Amino acid sequence: MEMVKTKLGKILITIVISIFLLAGVVAYVGWYNLFREDPNPPTYYDYESPEEHFKYGSIGTEKAEGVPYLIWLVLPRIFPDKLPGPGGYTSLGITWEEGKELPVGFSKKTIGFPRQGITCAACHTATFRKTPKDKPTIIAAGPSNKFDSQGYLRFLQACANDPRFTADYILGEIGYNYELSWFDKLLYRYVIIPQTRKSILELEEGYAWMDSRPDWGPGRISPFNPVKFRYLDQPLDDSVDNSDMMPLWNQKMHEGFAYHWDGLETSLRETIQTGAIGDGATRKSINIEGLKRVEDYITELPPPPYPFEVNQTLAAKGSAIFANSCASCHAFGGERTGTVIPIDEIGTDRNRLDMWTQEAADAYNEYAEGYEWDFDYLRKTNGYVAVALDGLWLRAPYLHNGSVPNLTNLLETPEKRTKVFYRGYDVYDPEKVGFVSEGEKAEKEGFKYDTSLIANGNQGHLYGTDLPEQDKKALIEYLKTL
């Protein structure tokens, strides 16, 4: 009897050990295929070139809000009806260089399986064409004038809500490009595809507030309401902060300036890191080392020169006008350049300013406590920053909300400024100094911008509007050279 008990005990111990070993193997396989970060990253997200790193290098957004790469790749083929036009992701204003696996502003990283993420370059890469037949010239670190980030979000959400978002459809389409192993097919069918759909639908809930406000449109974004509501646990309000994308070049000349349109930051490093959080990085996933490379790159990168002919004689006259009328706020070394101008003085649309609160700033300053990196310099201001004008020609449309299509229009009084125009068409108009914003092609490819909508106002910034017409022309000619 004792021998039987001993044998039974050994059998039970063996069974228990086997169960633990099996559980360990299952856990390891699950971790390896779903959460393991590749310790030897391939060149597609670890770039030697600073510019390539800026365009495609990971900033830590893939794990939390990145879409599995193979699913992301085939969505435009399965759901072309959810896009605004032909061309796949490029129909959303996403820039894609010839011969590249990914569009500019998108990264790829293996965390269990290949995942796609967003980088700073998605919102901070500009394009322009001299004529409609030209290929776009790509300017890294410029303000994106075409990328419809809200449209991109809505495309993903529309796909996830469609009954075709199933393993059968998606695996069938993936099969045209990749031969998955039987194990990977099971993993995608029963784990990755269902979880991706669930995550996108949860993201849709987190962004439901934007449906009650004016659309952002190409080249614009809601930069801080998503952070307020999703990460900082601030109460849902009716504020609208739709803003134009900003250029990132030449930061060595901007040292000591306030950052963002309303100057809510005074640290370049924190500004870059909060940008990564806004793009989907988490406190644990944010790539601090990669963002330091971004900082180094944009610190030294010069602004792009004006690509058209300049009347140097007229520009010389405009230089004197600029010195007398604009330099104190907009020239490097100007007394007020890089500082916040009170809203009562500047008079532009105040919605972007009113969106940010001291409570939100305090919450963001506490967001990364306990980590090696931290936030300390977020604040609430009472106006908008008088920005330096380096690379001004490529910053159109103008003002913080992109409500004025070109420099010629900006020097008109508000009642004479264009009330409705089209933005997102990247053919440049060297006469008015801005992108073509009217006409059949602009209407076909662009987004209708209506200045009567909330936060879209084009009032304020009256400086220079009282100059004689010849002086305005001279000033604009000089501004081309900055």
Side-chain angles (χ1 to χ4, degrees):
M1 187 67 179
E2 191 66 31
M3 185 179 298
V4 172
K5 288 182 178 180
T6 301
K7 287 184 177 181
L8 182 59
K10 289 181 178 180
I11 292 172
L12 290 174
I13 291 172
T14 301
I15 291 173
V16 170
I17 292 174
S18 298
I19 290 173
F20 274 107
L21 287 173
L22 180 60
V25 170
V26 171
Y28 175 79
V29 170
W31 167 82
Y32 188 90
N33 287 280
L34 295 175
F35 305 108
R36 168 191 58 93
E37 293 199 30
D38 192 337
N40 299 302
T43 56
Y44 53 63
Y45 65 91
D46 187 24
Y47 296 92
E48 291 186 10
S49 161
E51 180 176 329
E52 292 292 285
H53 173 78
F54 175 78
K55 291 178 179 177
Y56 305 106
S58 172
I59 61 173
T61 62
E62 300 86 1
K63 188 171 185 178
E65 294 194 359
V67 180
Y69 172 72
L70 296 183
I71 297 176
W72 176 86
L73 182 68
V74 302
L75 288 182
R77 301 207 302 255
I78 300 174
F79 304 103
D81 52 309
K82 308 298 183 185
L83 290 166
Y89 286 116
T90 62
S91 68
L92 295 166
I94 294 172
T95 300
W96 209 313
E97 294 181 292
E98 289 186 16
K100 296 292 187 180
E101 181 184 15
L102 294 165
V104 174
F106 287 75
S107 60
K108 181 181 176 185
K109 185 174 183 179
T110 295
I111 306 176
F113 49 88
R115 308 187 192 207
Q116 160 274 331
I118 297 288
T119 79
C120 304
C123 295
H124 300 287
T125 296
T127 65
F128 75 92
R129 291 177 289 165
K130 291 185 176 181
T131 74
K133 294 183 179 180
D134 290 344
K135 289 184 178 180
T137 297
I138 299 172
I139 307 294
S144 173
N145 51 315
K146 291 189 65 177
F147 179 37
D148 184 356
S149 56
Q150 186 181 45
Y152 176 69
L153 281 173
R154 285 176 169 163
F155 168 68
L156 296 179
Q157 294 164 8
C159 293
N161 278 291
D162 193 284
R164 291 170 291 174
F165 199 103
T166 65
D168 287 338
Y169 271 102
I170 293 174
L171 284 173
E173 200 64 39
I174 290 174
Y176 288 115
N177 297 89
Y178 295 91
E179 181 61 40
L180 298 178
S181 69
W182 66 269
F183 182 79
D184 283 339
K185 287 180 181 178
L186 289 176
L187 202 63
Y188 272 85
R189 178 175 293 277
Y190 295 109
V191 179
I192 297 175
I193 292 173
Q195 184 58 44
T196 299
R197 182 175 183 273
K198 178 183 176 183
S199 297
I200 294 175
L201 293 178
E202 289 175 351
L203 188 68
E204 182 179 33
E205 291 182 13
Y207 277 92
W209 53 268
M210 70 182 182
D211 294 332
S212 62
R213 300 151 213 242
D215 287 347
W216 308 346
R220 297 207 309 166
I221 195 170
S222 172
F224 283 99
N225 263 339
V227 174
K228 272 173 49 182
F229 303 147
R230 300 182 65 220
Y231 301 144
L232 304 182
D233 297 323
Q234 298 298 295
L236 190 66
D237 56 36
D238 59 358
S239 62
V240 182
D241 65 334
N242 298 349
S243 308
D244 219 39
M245 310 291 193
M246 301 187 77
L248 301 183
W249 53 59
N250 205 28
Q251 289 302 315
K252 66 182 178 183
M253 295 297 295
H254 294 246
E255 185 176 356
F257 289 2
Y259 296 98
H260 291 291
W261 287 112
D262 58 346
L264 60 77
E265 256 286 4
T266 57
S267 162
L268 174 59
R269 182 159 299 177
E270 287 192 12
T271 299
I272 295 169
Q273 291 170 353
T274 55
I277 297 296
D279 286 338
T282 68
R283 284 169 285 208
K284 292 184 178 180
S285 72
I286 189 171
N287 184 354
I288 297 299
E289 182 179 346
L291 291 172
K292 180 61 171 63
R293 290 191 67 191
V294 169
E295 180 182 350
D296 293 342
Y297 173 66
I298 63 176
T299 295
E300 298 297 329
L301 182 70
Y306 186 69
F308 300 91
E309 185 178 351
V310 174
N311 182 328
Q312 296 297 338
T313 302
L314 190 60
K317 180 181 178 182
S319 175
I321 297 170
F322 179 83
N324 291 329
S325 303
C326 314
S328 63
C329 287
H330 294 300
F332 289 116
E335 180 182 355
R336 306 179 81 186
T337 305
T339 68
V340 175
I341 308 300
I343 186 63
D344 291 340
E345 177 181 344
I346 191 72
T348 49
D349 191 300
R350 64 176 300 137
N351 281 277
R352 167 67 177 80
L353 172 66
D354 291 340
M355 171 279 309
W356 193 242
T357 65
Q358 186 60 52
E359 291 76 16
D362 292 342
Y364 219 169
N365 281 327
E366 297 174 359
Y367 180 76
E369 285 190 359
Y371 290 81
E372 293 183 2
W373 55 279
D374 197 2
F375 297 143
D376 296 303
Y377 299 104
L378 287 130
R379 61 181 183 170
K380 169 64 182 172
T381 71
N382 67 338
Y384 293 113
V385 176
V387 297
L389 303 185
D390 44 335
L392 179 64
W393 69 273
L394 195 54
R395 299 185 184 205
Y398 297 101
L399 297 184
H400 72 274
N401 54 1
S403 59
V404 180
N406 50 63
L407 288 182
T408 301
N409 211 232
L410 184 62
L411 292 179
E412 297 285 356
T413 54
E415 62 272 13
K416 293 182 180 179
R417 290 173 183 166
T418 303
K419 301 296 187 291
V420 175
F421 62 94
Y422 293 84
R423 51 177 300 153
Y425 183 53
D426 68 350
V427 174
Y428 204 81
D429 181 351
E431 296 300 320
K432 295 181 178 179
V433 191
F435 295 99
V436 174
S437 58
E438 298 174 317
E440 182 180 350
K441 291 184 178 179
E443 292 183 21
K444 181 179 179 181
E445 295 188 27
F447 166 83
K448 183 179 180 180
Y449 187 97
D450 186 345
T451 60
S452 69
L453 298 179
I454 185 171
N456 282 9
N458 63 358
Q459 69 270 24
H461 197 280
L462 303 180
Y463 315 104
T465 59
D466 58 351
L467 289 171
E469 286 303 313
Q470 289 304 312
D471 285 357
K472 288 182 180 181
K473 290 181 180 180
L475 176 60
I476 289 173
E477 200 68 16
Y478 172 71
L479 293 176
K480 296 175 181 179
T481 70
L482 297 180

